[in-house]
Amino acid sequence: MFGDPRHMTEDIRAADPLGADALLAAVPGMNERADAAALTVALRALVPDLEEAAGWSVGGALAAMRDLGILLGSLKRHGVQPLAAVPEALPVLELLGRRTDMIPRDTVHHYTSWNPTGPRRRTYTGHPTEARLQDAVRMVFPGLVAALEDCTRVARLEPYDPGFPAALDRIAGHVRAMVESIDLTVAQVPPEYFALTLRPYFEEVEIAGRDYLGPAAAQVPLWLVDLTLWQCDRSDAAYDAFLAESLPYALPSWRAFHARHRGGISAVSKLSAAVSWEGADRLPPALTASAEALGRVLRILKTFRARHLGIARKAYSDDIRLYEEGSGGAPVALLRSILDLTRENETMVRRATAQRRPAGAPVGPAA
């Protein structure tokens, strides 16, 4: 995974294969004026020759998609389907999608992780609050990459193995970055700013007869952590449908991760089975450690989802919302459902061990 060119973020940020730095610096002004004509000219000016684009590295192709994407979202925000206005961009977008093994438009990775910082930062508005949101999302990805390595270890181990709780504790440490990210978002990005100013730039764009969502933070695939901890065999139909729609927006290695683990046995199911096999009322210390570690991770996920739901409810409240669904294509009600599923699994782990004393614990009433 770490040899993947998509993880060479500094190289991608530095790349400017379209020579777009100066032009994209002017995009916030075009958006402020709602100057769809100027945005159309800008997109047409940046569309590269197909032969030239075919020779770019994966990193160069990702940078090119990043820069074209800012114009796609800007045009759609002002009511223009980008490829209706600039049809010659279609074969380039399709080529870049094939070259990078991703969808034929920009994603949350292009908008955050692969986006330069400083004066070269690509934004829709140029507003410091937009940059703060980008940075809050950007900080999540290193921890998520590391968490998935340990999720793979958990999937291969049984709860009796000492490596099982150790891997879960590392996952907990990595996932805490998501809680820190959402706390930063709450502190620095008012719901009204997101709902009324930024959300319109994340609208779907039609490409070759199919609608593709914009680079929404909802594309950050925390569901890959869910997958091995509980979702692969304890999900529901609404969450499964959301995952099916979200999967194409993930990195190729993460889509492969999903394919490997979607038919597996979750950590919650393995722990529940192990506890049920223990006939005595005392659990082996290794099993107790695994239950406690799994409970800790699920509580962190529950905390993140509760805070995410709180933000979404404010951004999509009746008095300020412009859209019925979130930028990731899901209604707020689904966030509540996922929070409930996370809570149910955390409660199941807690209850599975609540009536069992660790081996060696004193017998009889507590002092």
Side-chain angles (χ1 to χ4, degrees):
M1 180 178 291
F2 291 101
D4 189 330
R6 296 160 191 82
H7 292 301
M8 299 175 67
T9 55
E10 292 301 329
D11 290 346
I12 300 168
R13 291 173 192 169
D16 183 19
L18 301 177
D21 282 356
L23 191 154
L24 293 184
V27 165
M30 298 177 196
N31 280 325
E32 187 175 8
R33 297 188 302 272
D35 194 343
L39 290 165
T40 299
V41 171
L43 177 57
R44 187 172 291 122
L46 285 190
V47 173
D49 178 78
L50 269 179
E51 187 174 343
E52 176 190 6
W56 289 333
S57 66
V58 171
L62 292 170
M65 185 67 86
R66 170 199 68 205
D67 293 349
L68 294 171
I70 288 289
L71 291 167
L72 299 180
S74 295
L75 279 166
K76 184 61 190 297
R77 187 262 177 272
H78 300 298
V80 176
Q81 278 288 358
L83 297 188
V86 188
E88 61 267 34
L90 174 60
V92 171
L93 294 176
E94 291 179 325
L95 171 66
L96 294 176
R98 290 192 302 270
R99 185 75 184 88
T100 62
D101 194 14
M102 297 186 73
I103 64 166
R105 77 159 296 183
D106 55 325
T107 68
V108 69
H109 302 281
H110 299 81
Y111 182 60
T112 61
S113 292
W114 300 328
N115 198 337
T117 56
R120 294 185 60 238
R121 184 191 294 263
R122 278 66 163 132
T123 69
Y124 299 110
T125 69
H127 196 283
T129 303
E130 181 180 1
R132 293 187 194 110
L133 179 63
Q134 289 174 321
D135 290 341
V137 176
R138 190 197 307 258
M139 67 184 283
V140 167
F141 287 110
L144 183 59
V145 170
L148 295 184
E149 294 293 314
D150 282 306
C151 285
T152 297
R153 294 185 179 94
V154 168
R156 293 171 178 167
L157 297 171
E158 293 299 328
Y160 292 95
D161 192 306
F164 191 88
L168 286 168
D169 282 339
R170 288 193 297 271
I171 293 170
H174 300 315
V175 173
R176 280 193 188 94
M178 298 203 74
V179 178
E180 294 167 3
S181 169
I182 208 159
D183 287 346
L184 191 64
T185 302
V186 169
Q188 297 188 343
V189 183
E192 296 81 4
Y193 175 81
F194 177 81
L196 301 177
T197 301
L198 276 185
R199 174 65 177 85
Y201 290 101
F202 302 141
E203 273 289 85
E204 296 177 339
V205 166
E206 182 180 338
I207 299 174
R210 178 175 172 180
D211 287 335
Y212 290 93
L213 297 170
Q219 293 170 6
V220 177
L222 183 58
W223 42 266
L224 288 173
V225 177
D226 290 340
L227 181 69
T228 51
L229 296 189
W230 61 269
Q231 190 273 329
C232 63
D233 58 3
R234 311 183 77 87
S235 189
D236 71 3
Y239 195 19
D240 289 344
F242 170 74
L243 296 189
E245 294 177 0
S246 301
L247 193 61
Y249 297 85
L251 297 177
S253 60
W254 292 355
R255 300 197 304 268
F257 179 97
H258 180 268
R260 287 195 303 272
H261 296 290
R262 64 184 175 184
I265 301 173
S266 69
V268 170
S269 292
K270 287 193 286 190
L271 180 76
S272 297
V275 170
S276 70
W277 291 334
E278 293 291 335
D281 64 351
R282 297 188 183 94
L283 292 179
L287 203 54
T288 300
S290 289
E292 292 173 348
L294 182 54
R296 282 191 291 270
V297 179
L298 292 171
R299 281 192 293 277
I300 294 170
L301 292 173
K302 183 177 67 174
T303 298
F304 169 83
R305 293 212 157 95
R307 294 178 187 176
H308 186 199
L309 178 62
I311 292 175
R313 281 176 168 165
K314 291 177 182 177
Y316 292 91
S317 61
D318 291 340
D319 54 337
I320 65 170
R321 73 181 180 196
L322 298 177
Y323 303 91
E324 292 294 324
E325 294 186 342
S327 51
V332 174
L334 179 63
L335 298 181
R336 176 75 219 190
S337 175
I338 298 171
L339 171 60
D340 289 342
L341 286 167
T342 308
R343 181 180 288 120
E344 287 168 11
N345 281 279
E346 187 264 336
T347 300
M348 182 176 297
V349 170
R350 179 162 35 85
R351 287 179 178 172
T353 57
Q355 304 303 317
R356 305 293 190 94
R357 293 186 300 276
V363 178

